[in-house]
Amino acid sequence: MVRKSTKRPLSKVKNAGATRTKTSRRKTLLSNEDRLSFSYVLDCTKHKVLGFSCTYQIYINGKWEWVVRYDTQHGYLYKHRRTAEDPNGSIRTNLTDMNFKDYNAAAGWVTKDITLNWEKYKAYFMEIKGGSGDKK
Amino acid sequence: MTKSKIVEKNLALSGELEDYLFKNPSHLSELPKDSNIVVLNKQDKELTQANESMITDLKNKGEKVVVAEKLGKNEWRIDFK
């Protein structure tokens, strides 16, 4: 579900093409079967974050599958979750109404959301995938 | 320590690391592309033991590992080797 909003974007990135940007990608391991993948778009000149995405992934059946993903496309924070209707698709929610003051605040909220709900997200994913997985 | 507890503790530490990296974005550009970060907090011996074993597993698989160790509040040592 995508909700339209008239709120101001987190950051105006329309001039991003004029600046020297770099994408930084990395994975933070949480266990042998859980990880967070981060991707940042950085303004190399001003050392500023112009956008990010964060994905919670689990290792199942020999590959890493994404469970929940957040990104700041077009300057707004979106959350994507896998759906039961289409196990390979996802449902997108616009979190614009949360009105984060900057990317740092948005990223802080994202890691907090995963910390509080990762077990629920994982259990739901396992349910729709019909897998058993390692619960604990 | 259960796997669930390890994930919870690592998530909490990751959140702190993210906050630090956002405040110090120059480190973000220094991180090797597609690196695997493992967070450590020497104050938590059990977690350190679990994460060090994860580091060994990754290195044995030939993966690039970056160790981020929490030294104090908003203070991290990032080993890029």
Side-chain angles (χ1 to χ4, degrees), chain A residues 22-36 38 40 42 44 46-49 52 56 103-104 107 111 114-116 118-119 122 134-136, chain B residues 2-8 10-12 14-15 17-19 21-23 25-26 28-39 51 53-54 57-58 63:
Chain A
K22 181 184 174 179
T23 305
S24 164
R25 286 194 189 88
R26 64 200 159 75
K27 295 155 267 181
T28 302
L29 275 295
L30 306 169
S31 79
N32 288 327
E33 296 161 356
D34 304 81
R35 75 181 184 190
L36 294 178
F38 291 95
Y40 290 95
L42 299 165
C44 300
K46 293 176 185 165
H47 293 294
K48 215 176 141 187
V49 175
F52 74 90
Y56 169 52
Y103 284 122
N104 192 1
T111 47
I114 299 173
T115 304
L116 292 173
W118 69 277
E119 279 186 302
K122 187 173 179 175
D134 189 358
K135 305 275 188 213
K136 299 271 167 176
Chain B
T2 62
K3 188 174 272 183
S4 174
K5 197 75 197 163
I6 291 169
V7 173
E8 261 171 45
N10 278 333
L11 274 166
S14 301
L17 177 65
E18 284 319 299
D19 189 50
L21 289 173
F22 258 94
K23 286 171 183 158
S26 57
L28 278 172
S29 49
E30 285 169 21
L31 288 169
K33 207 173 182 181
D34 292 320
S35 51
N36 294 292
I37 296 188
V38 178
V39 284
N51 286 357
S53 134
M54 207 153 62
D57 287 348
L58 285 166
E63 301 257 7

Coordinates of all heavy atoms in Angstrom, one line a residue, chain A residues 22-36 38 40 42 44 46-49 52 56 103-104 107 111 114-116 118-119 122 134-136, chain B residues 2-8 10-12 14-15 17-19 21-23 25-26 28-39 51 53-54 57-58 63:
Chain A
K22 N 29.2 8.9 -4.1 CA 29.8 7.6 -4.0 C 28.8 6.7 -3.3 O 28.1 7.2 -2.4 CB 31.1 7.7 -3.2 CG 31.8 6.3 -3.0 CD 33.0 6.4 -2.1 CE 33.6 5.1 -1.9 NZ 34.7 5.1 -1.1
T23 N 28.6 5.5 -3.7 CA 27.7 4.5 -3.0 C 28.6 3.6 -2.2 O 29.6 3.0 -2.6 CB 26.9 3.7 -4.0 OG1 26.2 4.6 -4.9 CG2 25.9 2.9 -3.3
S24 N 28.2 3.5 -0.9 CA 28.9 2.7 0.0 C 28.0 1.5 0.4 O 26.9 1.7 0.8 CB 29.3 3.5 1.3 OG 29.7 2.7 2.3
R25 N 28.5 0.3 0.2 CA 27.7 -0.9 0.5 C 28.4 -1.7 1.5 O 29.6 -1.9 1.4 CB 27.4 -1.7 -0.7 CG 26.4 -1.1 -1.7 CD 25.9 -2.1 -2.7 NE 25.2 -1.5 -3.7 CZ 25.7 -0.9 -4.8 NH1 27.0 -1.0 -5.0 NH2 24.9 -0.3 -5.7
R26 N 27.7 -2.2 2.5 CA 28.3 -3.2 3.4 C 27.2 -4.0 4.1 O 26.0 -3.7 4.1 CB 29.1 -2.4 4.5 CG 28.2 -1.5 5.3 CD 29.1 -0.4 6.0 NE 28.2 0.6 6.4 CZ 27.4 0.6 7.4 NH1 27.4 -0.5 8.1 NH2 26.6 1.6 7.7
K27 N 27.7 -5.1 4.8 CA 26.8 -5.9 5.5 C 27.2 -6.0 7.0 O 28.4 -6.2 7.2 CB 26.8 -7.3 4.9 CG 26.3 -7.4 3.5 CD 26.9 -8.5 2.7 CE 28.1 -8.1 1.9 NZ 28.7 -9.1 1.1
T28 N 26.3 -5.9 7.9 CA 26.6 -6.1 9.3 C 26.0 -7.4 9.7 O 24.8 -7.7 9.6 CB 26.0 -5.0 10.1 OG1 26.5 -3.7 9.6 CG2 26.4 -5.1 11.6
L29 N 26.9 -8.3 10.1 CA 26.5 -9.7 10.5 C 25.9 -9.7 11.9 O 26.5 -9.1 12.8 CB 27.7 -10.6 10.5 CG 28.1 -11.3 9.2 CD1 27.0 -12.2 8.7 CD2 28.4 -10.3 8.1
L30 N 24.8 -10.3 12.0 CA 24.1 -10.4 13.3 C 24.2 -11.8 13.9 O 24.2 -12.0 15.1 CB 22.6 -10.0 13.2 CG 22.3 -8.6 12.5 CD1 20.9 -8.5 12.2 CD2 22.8 -7.5 13.4
S31 N 24.3 -12.8 13.0 CA 24.6 -14.1 13.4 C 25.0 -14.8 12.1 O 25.1 -14.1 11.0 CB 23.3 -14.8 14.0 OG 22.4 -15.2 12.9
N32 N 25.2 -16.1 12.1 CA 25.6 -16.8 10.8 C 24.4 -16.8 9.8 O 24.6 -17.0 8.7 CB 26.1 -18.2 11.1 CG 27.4 -18.2 11.7 OD1 28.2 -17.3 11.4 ND2 27.7 -19.2 12.6
E33 N 23.2 -16.5 10.4 CA 22.0 -16.6 9.5 C 21.2 -15.3 9.4 O 20.1 -15.3 8.9 CB 21.1 -17.7 10.0 CG 21.7 -19.1 10.0 CD 21.0 -20.0 10.9 OE1 20.1 -19.6 11.6 OE2 21.3 -21.2 10.9
D34 N 21.7 -14.2 10.0 CA 21.0 -13.0 10.0 C 22.0 -11.8 9.7 O 23.1 -11.8 10.3 CB 20.4 -12.7 11.4 CG 19.4 -13.8 11.9 OD1 19.9 -14.8 12.4 OD2 18.2 -13.6 11.7
R35 N 21.6 -10.9 8.9 CA 22.5 -9.8 8.6 C 21.7 -8.6 8.2 O 20.5 -8.7 7.8 CB 23.5 -10.1 7.6 CG 23.0 -10.2 6.2 CD 24.1 -10.6 5.2 NE 23.6 -10.5 3.8 CZ 24.3 -11.0 2.8 NH1 25.5 -11.5 3.0 NH2 23.8 -10.9 1.6
L36 N 22.3 -7.4 8.3 CA 21.7 -6.2 7.8 C 22.6 -5.7 6.6 O 23.8 -5.7 6.7 CB 21.7 -5.1 8.8 CG 20.8 -5.2 10.1 CD1 21.0 -4.0 11.0 CD2 19.4 -5.4 9.7
F38 N 23.5 -2.6 4.2 CA 23.3 -1.1 4.1 C 23.9 -0.6 2.8 O 24.9 -1.1 2.3 CB 24.1 -0.4 5.2 CG 23.5 -0.6 6.6 CD1 24.0 -1.6 7.4 CD2 22.4 0.2 7.0 CE1 23.4 -1.8 8.7 CE2 21.9 0.0 8.3 CZ 22.4 -0.9 9.1
Y40 N 24.6 3.3 1.1 CA 24.5 4.8 1.3 C 24.9 5.5 0.1 O 25.9 5.0 -0.6 CB 25.5 5.2 2.4 CG 25.1 4.8 3.8 CD1 25.6 3.6 4.4 CD2 24.1 5.5 4.5 CE1 25.2 3.2 5.6 CE2 23.8 5.1 5.8 CZ 24.3 4.0 6.3 OH 23.9 3.6 7.6
L42 N 26.7 8.8 -0.8 CA 27.4 9.9 -0.1 C 27.8 11.0 -1.0 O 28.2 10.8 -2.2 CB 28.7 9.3 0.5 CG 28.5 8.2 1.5 CD1 29.8 7.5 1.7 CD2 28.0 8.7 2.8
C44 N 30.7 13.1 -1.6 CA 32.1 13.0 -1.2 C 32.7 14.4 -0.9 O 33.6 14.5 -0.1 CB 32.9 12.4 -2.3 SG 32.4 10.7 -2.7
K46 N 31.0 17.1 0.5 CA 30.5 17.7 1.8 C 30.4 16.6 2.9 O 30.0 16.9 4.0 CB 29.1 18.3 1.6 CG 29.1 19.5 0.7 CD 27.6 20.0 0.5 CE 27.6 21.1 -0.5 NZ 26.3 21.4 -1.0
H47 N 30.8 15.4 2.5 CA 30.8 14.3 3.5 C 29.4 14.2 4.1 O 29.2 14.2 5.3 CB 31.8 14.4 4.6 CG 33.2 14.2 4.1 ND1 33.7 13.0 3.5 CD2 34.2 15.1 3.9 CE1 34.9 13.2 3.1 NE2 35.3 14.4 3.3
K48 N 28.4 14.1 3.2 CA 27.0 14.1 3.7 C 26.3 12.9 3.1 O 26.6 12.5 2.0 CB 26.3 15.4 3.2 CG 25.3 16.0 4.1 CD 24.8 17.3 3.5 CE 23.3 17.4 3.7 NZ 22.8 18.5 3.1
V49 N 25.3 12.3 3.8 CA 24.6 11.2 3.3 C 23.4 11.8 2.5 O 22.6 12.6 3.0 CB 24.0 10.3 4.5 CG1 23.1 9.2 4.0 CG2 25.2 9.7 5.3
F52 N 19.8 6.4 1.7 CA 20.3 5.1 2.2 C 19.2 4.0 2.0 O 18.0 4.3 1.8 CB 20.7 5.2 3.7 CG 19.6 5.3 4.6 CD1 19.0 4.1 5.2 CD2 19.0 6.5 5.0 CE1 17.9 4.2 6.0 CE2 18.0 6.6 5.9 CZ 17.4 5.4 6.4
Y56 N 17.0 -6.2 6.0 CA 17.3 -7.3 7.0 C 17.1 -8.6 6.2 O 16.1 -8.9 5.5 CB 16.2 -7.3 8.1 CG 16.2 -8.5 9.0 CD1 17.4 -9.0 9.5 CD2 15.1 -9.2 9.2 CE1 17.4 -10.2 10.3 CE2 15.1 -10.4 10.0 CZ 16.2 -10.8 10.5 OH 16.2 -12.0 11.3
Y103 N 18.3 12.2 7.6 CA 18.5 10.8 7.3 C 19.0 10.0 8.6 O 18.7 8.8 8.7 CB 19.5 10.6 6.2 CG 18.9 10.9 4.9 CD1 19.4 11.9 4.0 CD2 17.9 10.1 4.4 CE1 18.9 12.1 2.8 CE2 17.3 10.4 3.2 CZ 17.8 11.4 2.4 OH 17.2 11.6 1.1
N104 N 19.7 10.7 9.4 CA 20.2 10.1 10.6 C 19.1 9.6 11.5 O 19.0 8.5 12.0 CB 21.1 11.0 11.4 CG 21.9 10.3 12.5 OD1 21.8 9.1 12.7 ND2 22.7 11.1 13.2
A107 N 17.4 6.7 9.8 CA 18.2 5.4 10.0 C 18.1 4.9 11.4 O 18.0 3.7 11.6 CB 19.6 5.7 9.6
T111 N 16.7 1.1 12.4 CA 17.4 0.0 13.2 C 16.6 -0.3 14.4 O 16.6 -1.4 14.9 CB 18.9 0.4 13.6 OG1 18.9 1.8 14.1 CG2 19.8 0.3 12.4
I114 N 13.8 -2.6 13.3 CA 14.2 -4.0 13.1 C 14.5 -4.7 14.5 O 14.2 -5.8 14.7 CB 15.5 -4.0 12.2 CG1 15.1 -3.5 10.8 CG2 16.0 -5.5 12.0 CD1 16.3 -3.3 9.9
T115 N 15.2 -3.9 15.4 CA 15.5 -4.5 16.7 C 14.3 -5.0 17.4 O 14.3 -6.0 18.0 CB 16.3 -3.4 17.5 OG1 17.4 -3.0 16.8 CG2 16.7 -4.0 18.9
L116 N 13.2 -4.2 17.3 CA 12.0 -4.5 18.1 C 11.2 -5.6 17.4 O 10.5 -6.4 18.0 CB 11.1 -3.3 18.2 CG 11.6 -2.2 19.1 CD1 10.7 -0.9 19.0 CD2 11.7 -2.6 20.6
W118 N 12.3 -7.8 14.5 CA 12.9 -8.8 13.6 C 12.4 -10.2 13.7 O 12.2 -10.9 12.7 CB 14.5 -8.8 13.8 CG 14.9 -9.3 15.1 CD1 15.0 -8.7 16.3 CD2 15.4 -10.7 15.3 NE1 15.5 -9.6 17.2 CE2 15.7 -10.8 16.7 CE3 15.5 -11.8 14.5 CZ2 16.2 -12.0 17.2 CZ3 16.0 -13.0 15.1 CH2 16.3 -13.0 16.4
E119 N 12.1 -10.6 14.9 CA 11.6 -12.0 15.1 C 10.2 -12.2 14.5 O 10.0 -13.2 13.9 CB 11.5 -12.3 16.6 CG 12.9 -12.7 17.2 CD 12.9 -13.2 18.6 OE1 12.4 -12.4 19.4 OE2 13.3 -14.3 18.8
K122 N 10.7 -12.2 10.7 CA 11.3 -13.4 10.3 C 10.3 -14.6 10.3 O 10.2 -15.4 9.4 CB 12.5 -13.7 11.2 CG 13.4 -14.9 10.8 CD 14.6 -15.0 11.7 CE 15.4 -16.2 11.3 NZ 16.7 -16.3 12.1
D134 N 15.9 -21.9 11.5 CA 16.4 -22.0 12.9 C 15.8 -20.9 13.7 O 16.2 -19.8 13.6 CB 17.9 -22.0 12.8 CG 18.5 -22.4 14.2 OD1 17.8 -22.6 15.1 OD2 19.8 -22.4 14.2
K135 N 14.9 -21.2 14.6 CA 14.2 -20.1 15.3 C 15.0 -19.5 16.3 O 15.0 -18.3 16.6 CB 12.9 -20.7 15.9 CG 12.0 -21.4 15.0 CD 11.1 -20.4 14.3 CE 10.0 -21.1 13.5 NZ 9.6 -20.5 12.2
K136 N 15.8 -20.2 17.1 CA 16.6 -19.6 18.2 C 18.0 -20.0 18.0 O 18.4 -21.1 17.5 CB 16.1 -20.1 19.5 CG 14.7 -19.8 19.8 CD 14.6 -18.4 20.5 CE 13.1 -17.9 20.5 NZ 12.9 -16.7 21.1
Chain B
T2 N 21.4 -17.5 23.8 CA 20.6 -18.0 22.7 C 21.0 -17.2 21.4 O 21.4 -16.1 21.5 CB 19.1 -17.9 22.9 OG1 18.8 -16.5 23.1 CG2 18.7 -18.7 24.1
K3 N 20.7 -17.8 20.3 CA 21.0 -17.1 19.0 C 20.1 -15.8 18.9 O 20.6 -14.8 18.5 CB 20.6 -18.1 17.8 CG 21.0 -17.5 16.5 CD 20.8 -18.5 15.4 CE 22.0 -19.3 15.2 NZ 21.9 -20.3 14.1
S4 N 18.9 -15.9 19.4 CA 18.0 -14.8 19.5 C 18.6 -13.6 20.2 O 18.5 -12.5 19.8 CB 16.7 -15.2 20.1 OG 15.8 -14.2 20.2
K5 N 19.2 -13.9 21.4 CA 19.8 -12.9 22.2 C 21.0 -12.3 21.5 O 21.2 -11.1 21.6 CB 20.2 -13.5 23.6 CG 20.5 -12.5 24.7 CD 19.2 -12.0 25.2 CE 19.5 -10.7 26.0 NZ 18.3 -9.9 26.2
I6 N 21.8 -13.1 20.8 CA 23.0 -12.6 20.1 C 22.5 -11.7 19.0 O 23.1 -10.6 18.9 CB 23.8 -13.8 19.5 CG1 24.4 -14.7 20.6 CG2 24.8 -13.3 18.5 CD1 25.0 -16.0 20.1
V7 N 21.5 -12.0 18.3 CA 21.0 -11.1 17.2 C 20.5 -9.8 17.8 O 20.8 -8.7 17.3 CB 19.8 -11.8 16.4 CG1 19.2 -10.8 15.4 CG2 20.4 -13.0 15.7
E8 N 19.7 -9.9 18.9 CA 19.2 -8.7 19.6 C 20.4 -7.8 20.0 O 20.3 -6.6 19.8 CB 18.5 -9.1 20.9 CG 17.0 -9.1 20.7 CD 16.3 -9.7 21.9 OE1 16.6 -9.4 23.0 OE2 15.4 -10.5 21.6
N10 N 23.5 -7.7 18.9 CA 24.2 -7.2 17.7 C 23.4 -6.1 17.0 O 23.9 -5.2 16.5 CB 24.5 -8.4 16.7 CG 25.7 -9.1 17.1 OD1 26.6 -8.5 17.8 ND2 25.8 -10.4 16.8
L11 N 22.0 -6.2 17.0 CA 21.2 -5.2 16.4 C 21.3 -3.9 17.2 O 21.5 -2.8 16.6 CB 19.7 -5.6 16.4 CG 19.3 -6.5 15.2 CD1 17.9 -7.1 15.5 CD2 19.2 -5.6 14.0
A12 N 21.3 -4.0 18.5 CA 21.5 -2.8 19.4 C 22.8 -2.1 19.1 O 22.9 -0.9 18.9 CB 21.3 -3.2 20.8
S14 N 24.7 -2.5 16.4 CA 24.7 -2.0 15.0 C 24.0 -0.6 14.9 O 24.4 0.3 14.2 CB 23.9 -2.9 14.1 OG 24.5 -4.2 14.1
G15 N 22.9 -0.5 15.7 CA 22.2 0.8 15.7 C 23.2 1.9 16.2 O 23.2 3.0 15.7
L17 N 26.4 1.9 16.1 CA 27.5 2.0 15.0 C 26.9 2.9 13.9 O 27.6 3.8 13.4 CB 27.9 0.7 14.5 CG 28.9 0.7 13.4 CD1 30.3 1.3 13.8 CD2 29.2 -0.7 12.8
E18 N 25.7 2.7 13.5 CA 25.1 3.5 12.4 C 25.1 5.0 12.8 O 25.4 5.8 12.0 CB 23.6 3.0 12.1 CG 23.5 1.8 11.4 CD 24.5 1.7 10.2 OE1 24.4 2.5 9.3 OE2 25.3 0.8 10.3
D19 N 24.7 5.2 14.0 CA 24.6 6.6 14.5 C 26.0 7.2 14.4 O 26.1 8.4 14.0 CB 24.1 6.6 16.0 CG 23.7 7.9 16.5 OD1 23.1 8.7 15.7 OD2 24.2 8.3 17.5
L21 N 28.5 6.3 12.5 CA 28.9 6.5 11.1 C 28.2 7.7 10.4 O 28.8 8.4 9.6 CB 28.6 5.2 10.3 CG 29.5 4.0 10.6 CD1 29.1 2.8 9.9 CD2 31.0 4.3 10.3
F22 N 26.9 7.9 10.8 CA 26.2 9.0 10.2 C 26.8 10.3 10.7 O 26.9 11.3 10.0 CB 24.7 9.0 10.7 CG 23.8 8.5 9.6 CD1 23.5 7.2 9.5 CD2 23.3 9.4 8.6 CE1 22.6 6.7 8.5 CE2 22.5 8.9 7.6 CZ 22.1 7.6 7.6
K23 N 27.3 10.3 11.9 CA 27.9 11.5 12.5 C 29.4 11.7 11.9 O 29.9 12.8 12.0 CB 27.9 11.5 14.0 CG 26.5 11.8 14.5 CD 26.3 11.6 16.0 CE 24.9 11.8 16.4 NZ 24.6 11.1 17.7
P25 N 30.6 10.6 8.6 CA 30.5 10.0 7.2 C 31.7 9.7 6.5 O 31.7 8.9 5.6 CB 29.6 11.0 6.5 CG 29.3 12.1 7.4 CD 30.1 12.0 8.6
S26 N 32.9 10.4 6.9 CA 34.1 10.1 6.2 C 34.5 8.6 6.4 O 35.1 8.0 5.5 CB 35.2 11.0 6.8 OG 35.3 10.8 8.1
L28 N 32.4 6.2 6.4 CA 31.5 5.4 5.4 C 32.2 5.3 4.1 O 32.2 4.2 3.5 CB 30.2 6.2 5.2 CG 29.1 5.9 6.3 CD1 27.9 6.9 6.0 CD2 28.6 4.5 6.3
S29 N 32.9 6.3 3.7 CA 33.5 6.2 2.4 C 34.8 5.4 2.4 O 35.3 5.0 1.4 CB 33.8 7.6 1.8 OG 34.4 8.5 2.7
E30 N 35.4 5.3 3.6 CA 36.6 4.5 3.8 C 36.3 3.0 3.8 O 37.2 2.2 3.5 CB 37.3 4.8 5.1 CG 38.0 6.2 5.1 CD 38.4 6.6 6.5 OE1 38.5 5.8 7.4 OE2 38.6 7.8 6.7
L31 N 35.1 2.6 4.2 CA 34.8 1.2 4.3 C 34.9 0.5 2.9 O 34.4 0.9 1.9 CB 33.4 1.0 4.8 CG 33.1 1.3 6.3 CD1 31.6 1.3 6.6 CD2 33.8 0.3 7.2
P32 N 35.6 -0.7 2.9 CA 35.7 -1.4 1.6 C 34.3 -1.8 1.1 O 33.5 -2.2 1.9 CB 36.5 -2.6 2.0 CG 37.2 -2.4 3.3 CD 36.3 -1.4 4.0
K33 N 34.2 -1.7 -0.2 CA 32.9 -2.0 -0.8 C 32.5 -3.5 -0.5 O 33.3 -4.4 -0.5 CB 33.0 -1.8 -2.3 CG 31.6 -1.5 -2.9 CD 31.8 -1.1 -4.4 CE 30.4 -0.8 -4.9 NZ 30.5 -0.4 -6.3
D34 N 31.2 -3.7 -0.1 CA 30.6 -5.0 0.1 C 31.4 -5.7 1.3 O 31.5 -7.0 1.3 CB 30.6 -5.9 -1.1 CG 29.6 -5.3 -2.1 OD1 28.5 -4.9 -1.7 OD2 29.9 -5.3 -3.3
S35 N 31.9 -5.0 2.2 CA 32.6 -5.6 3.3 C 31.6 -6.1 4.3 O 30.4 -5.7 4.4 CB 33.5 -4.6 4.0 OG 32.8 -3.4 4.3
N36 N 32.0 -7.1 5.1 CA 31.2 -7.7 6.2 C 31.7 -7.1 7.5 O 32.8 -7.2 7.8 CB 31.4 -9.2 6.2 CG 30.9 -9.9 5.0 OD1 29.7 -10.0 4.8 ND2 31.9 -10.4 4.2
I37 N 30.8 -6.4 8.1 CA 31.1 -5.8 9.4 C 30.7 -6.7 10.6 O 29.5 -7.2 10.6 CB 30.5 -4.4 9.5 CG1 31.1 -3.5 8.5 CG2 30.8 -3.8 10.9 CD1 30.7 -2.0 8.6
V38 N 31.6 -6.9 11.5 CA 31.2 -7.6 12.7 C 31.4 -6.6 13.9 O 32.5 -6.0 14.0 CB 32.0 -8.9 12.9 CG1 31.6 -9.6 14.2 CG2 31.8 -9.8 11.7
V39 N 30.4 -6.4 14.7 CA 30.5 -5.5 15.8 C 31.0 -6.2 17.1 O 30.6 -7.3 17.3 CB 29.2 -4.7 16.1 CG1 28.9 -3.7 15.0 CG2 28.0 -5.7 16.2
N51 N 30.8 -13.6 18.5 CA 31.1 -12.8 17.2 C 32.5 -13.1 16.7 O 32.8 -13.1 15.5 CB 31.0 -11.3 17.5 CG 29.5 -10.9 17.6 OD1 28.6 -11.7 17.4 ND2 29.2 -9.6 17.9
S53 N 33.9 -16.0 16.8 CA 33.7 -17.2 16.1 C 33.1 -17.0 14.7 O 33.5 -17.6 13.7 CB 32.9 -18.2 16.9 OG 31.9 -18.8 16.2
M54 N 32.3 -16.0 14.6 CA 31.7 -15.6 13.3 C 32.8 -15.0 12.4 O 32.8 -15.3 11.2 CB 30.6 -14.5 13.6 CG 29.5 -14.4 12.6 SD 28.0 -13.8 13.3 CE 28.4 -12.2 13.8
D57 N 34.8 -17.8 11.0 CA 34.0 -18.5 9.9 C 34.1 -17.7 8.6 O 34.3 -18.3 7.6 CB 32.5 -18.7 10.3 CG 32.3 -19.7 11.4 OD1 33.3 -20.5 11.7 OD2 31.2 -19.8 11.9
L58 N 33.9 -16.4 8.7 CA 33.9 -15.6 7.5 C 35.3 -15.6 6.9 O 35.4 -15.7 5.7 CB 33.6 -14.1 7.9 CG 32.1 -13.9 8.2 CD1 31.9 -12.5 8.8 CD2 31.3 -13.9 6.9
E63 N 36.1 -14.4 3.1 CA 35.3 -13.1 3.0 C 36.1 -12.0 3.7 O 36.9 -12.2 4.6 CB 34.0 -13.2 3.8 CG 33.1 -14.3 3.2 CD 32.0 -13.8 2.4 OE1 31.9 -12.6 2.1 OE2 31.1 -14.6 2.0

